[in-house]
Amino acid sequence: MDSGDREWERAAVVQTLPVVAPRKLAKVPFVEMADGRLQGVVSSGSDIARVYVSSVAAKTHGLSCSTNNNRPCGGLRGAYPCKHIDALLDEAVVQYGLERVARYLGVEIEGTSLYHALNCSHEPAPAAVVFSRFLRHLAYLELPGATAPIPELQWFPATGVSR
Ligand SMILES: [Zn+2]
């Protein structure tokens, strides 16, 4: 084949890459500010089948992190956020903006990071409610032939919706 054909082939490969990429969840597929908590679902870095439900109480900054079947997160000790809560805070800022998140949590963020503005304590909260809302969001993914962007799913790279 001549070089023109090869050029065409390379272009075709680039175009099909997003389609054949393995479907996987975003690091933080679900974040909401509800029930007096900033809360959401964080996927486990190591196990695709496991997710953590993490939350920060708006008033007390009580931290909670457990798996979807209510096993406490081993990384959350005392007043120090685990990596899941860190990821949750980061994603909340991406989705809602730093100002809105800070206002919801009742903190001033001038000259400091959101994390340092929080006065954290350990305060386990039930994961089931958050997790069931997450599953309702996931159900959108199973809609047959849905190609139109669904606003609630912007953070799922698997849907092909770009930010
Ligand atoms: Zn955790």
Side-chain angles (χ1 to χ4, degrees):
M1 80 175 79
D2 64 36
S3 65
D5 280 344
R6 233 170 278 142
E7 205 58 53
W8 183 87
E9 211 173 40
R10 201 179 310 140
V13 167
V14 169
Q15 278 166 11
T16 50
L17 265 183
V19 179
V20 298
R23 183 185 245 216
K24 73 189 204 23
L25 285 180
K27 174 78 183 149
V28 185
F30 182 59
V31 188
E32 63 175 7
M33 294 191 278
D35 308 331
R37 306 186 79 91
L38 169 65
Q39 56 195 9
V41 171
V42 181
S43 63
S44 157
S46 50
D47 182 353
I48 188 120
R50 195 195 307 152
V51 296
Y52 289 86
V53 175
S54 310
S55 68
V56 180
K59 287 204 179 76
T60 62
H61 301 162
L63 307 177
S64 174
C65 187
S66 59
T67 64
N68 51 311
N69 45 17
N70 267 320
R71 284 175 192 273
C73 168
L76 179 62
R77 292 182 205 282
Y80 298 97
C82 60
K83 61 180 181 177
H84 311 112
I85 290 172
D86 281 343
L88 177 76
L89 288 172
D90 286 349
E91 187 62 22
V93 168
V94 169
Q95 282 187 34
Y96 297 101
L98 182 56
E99 207 176 290
R100 230 176 121 192
V101 174
R103 206 183 316 134
Y104 188 77
L105 295 174
V107 294
E108 296 283 337
I109 35 113
E110 275 192 59
T112 182
S113 70
L114 180 61
Y115 165 75
H116 284 106
L118 294 173
N119 183 17
C120 298
S121 60
H122 193 185
E123 182 188 296
V129 177
V130 181
F131 191 66
S132 67
R133 275 208 287 266
F134 166 61
L135 289 183
R136 263 209 315 268
H137 279 252
L138 268 189
Y140 280 110
L141 289 179
E142 307 308 325
L143 291 177
T147 51
I150 300 170
E152 295 94 313
L153 295 177
Q154 279 173 13
W155 52 88
F156 283 94
T159 62
V161 179
S162 57
R163 285 180 195 269

